[in-house]
Amino acid sequence: MKFCSLCILFLFLLSLHPIYGQVDYSNKSTEKIKKRPELEPEGEKKERRLLSIYIQDTQNVLYGNPCMDKVTQRFGYEYVVMPKNASKYHSGFERSMHNFLVKTALFFRNPFWKVISNKKAKECRQKTGDYMG
């Protein structure tokens, strides 16, 4: 008799197990299940306007190297080659002042941007074999 009542109690508790195992989404559980995760982009960042640093030659900048382009976009700047007869920033003083302001803004974003950029440029140069200016 005692054994039957224990078996019935055990079966009753066993039948309640799926109820306790369910995830309650009404209390804002941290677990989220995606039905089609491959269709949802992850970590998509808002495009931000890149700051321009004007240069006259591309000797040490790895201009056009995809590896270096990712590095410069990470910090939010790009190099723009200015020919000598360009109408905008035609004087060296204007170009220097513009570059100074851009580099100051980059400093406030990340004080070590130049050190990190130079290190990554060296790594990109070794990875891609881009030793020509």
Side-chain angles (χ1 to χ4, degrees), residues 2 5 10 22 26-27 34 38 54 77 113 121 124 128-129:
K2 208 172 197 183
S5 61
F10 179 72
Q22 297 295 319
S26 63
N27 65 5
K34 298 178 182 177
E38 69 275 357
Y54 295 110
Y77 73 96
W113 73 273
C124 289
T128 59

Side-chain angles (χ1 to χ4, degrees), residues 73-131:
Q73 288 177 2
R74 174 183 158 203
F75 289 111
Y77 73 96
E78 66 181 348
Y79 288 108
V80 177
V81 180
M82 293 289 291
K84 291 184 180 185
N85 59 357
S87 61
K88 188 175 182 183
Y89 301 119
H90 60 278
S91 75
F93 179 73
E94 290 176 349
R95 185 176 57 248
S96 297
M97 284 305 297
H98 173 79
N99 288 346
F100 175 74
L101 294 174
V102 168
K103 289 176 183 180
T104 304
L106 290 172
F107 176 79
F108 284 111
R109 284 185 185 172
N110 186 348
F112 303 109
W113 73 273
K114 189 66 173 174
V115 174
I116 296 170
S117 295
N118 288 339
K119 182 179 177 184
K120 293 291 184 183
K122 187 175 181 181
E123 290 175 7
C124 289
R125 186 174 279 127
Q126 289 175 350
K127 270 196 258 183
T128 59
D130 192 3
Y131 288 101

